[in-house]
Amino acid sequence: MEIEGEKMFEVDLGNLMAYDSHYTIPSQQSREELVKECLQKGTELVQAIADSLFTLPSTEDVDGPLVKLPPPTTKLPREKHMPRPRPPTKWEEFAKKKGIIKRKKDKVVFDEQSETWKRRHGYDHANDEEAIPIIEAKPTDDPDEDPFAKRRQDKKGRVDKQEKNRLQNLKNAAKFGDLPSHVQLAATSLPITGTQAVQKKVTKDELGNVAGIASTATASGGKFDKKLPGEKPPKHKGKFRKFPPVAPPAANGKVTGPSEREQTEKILNKILSKNNHDILNVNKAVTVHNVKKEKNRRSDKSKSSATDKKLKPQKKPFKKGGSAKKGNPKAQ
């Protein structure tokens, strides 16, 4: 209980909830006044929760003080019904009858053939029957029977028996309304035979859709799967892409329609004729051409002037007041 003057609140810190059991909402109020009063009352309740939290013993942490909430005192109703007990499977009934206790098996076991430790299940697992190249014959074995084929047949029988038991367990669970969550969606559209629930009538199209999804749920899209007798290929929902012929139409009329080249030229001409002003700016193109031409002319002129300057003979400068050379009569 939190008492502030004349106000009394009931605070449940386990659920972080506070309420006032003595508060009544006036009936004759406008919507604006009612919203304002609800916000004010909600602020008071939140403040009461905060005041109660600070009364609990706290421990210091990097992020701030931490408090441990007490157990909740208010019992809130459940949204869903209480879970029903799942019926035991055949193996669970047999294990209970014989007193077998389930224990966790190791993931790695010893392989007697390679004398190494390998995983129990999966790729390259230990004691793989298909990896044994030689099978010792027993006196009771039939000499005309293939032991490898018999081993594969026995394994297939064990797998089929396990699948049959799994489906039977699902039927028993469906009678009690306790199907696993991963088959609930499938059970709503295609319920298991033998359930007490009213089965929905499945149409031919729904069965075809389910069969098509199941047949194409492999990596190859069902291309390399074995087909059942009388099974039809799944329907292709969608439009097939039609590619035009690369070669022109033949004279015998077998190839109809325009070729790929003609179709491409038609689309290109249509785009150019419609948006030629947007694609090519004539004024800008002429200006760019003139500027480039003028730039080339200037570069050629500068190159020619540099070449003429190299080929032109250089004149030696005349030195005044120089000393006369010997044998020169003008110098005397």
Side-chain angles (χ1 to χ4, degrees), residues 116-168:
T116 56
W117 292 88
K118 294 184 178 181
R119 58 176 66 91
R120 184 183 295 272
H121 304 288
Y123 174 74
D124 193 20
H125 61 274
N127 302 321
D128 188 5
E129 296 180 352
E130 297 181 0
I132 299 176
I134 300 174
I135 301 177
E136 296 182 3
K138 298 179 182 180
T140 57
D141 292 344
D142 188 3
D144 298 333
E145 187 177 15
D146 186 4
F148 296 97
K150 181 181 179 183
R151 178 174 288 179
R152 288 193 295 268
Q153 187 177 1
D154 294 343
K155 183 177 179 180
K156 187 177 182 299
R158 293 195 300 268
V159 172
D160 294 342
K161 182 180 178 182
Q162 181 65 22
E163 182 67 16
K164 183 180 178 181
N165 293 338
R166 188 184 70 86
L167 294 178
Q168 186 63 36

Side-chain angles (χ1 to χ4, degrees), residues 191-214:
I192 302 173
T193 307
T195 57
Q196 294 181 354
V198 179
Q199 297 183 3
K200 178 184 175 183
K201 187 177 180 181
V202 183
T203 61
K204 183 179 179 181
D205 296 336
E206 291 179 355
L207 286 175
N209 294 337
V210 174
I213 293 172

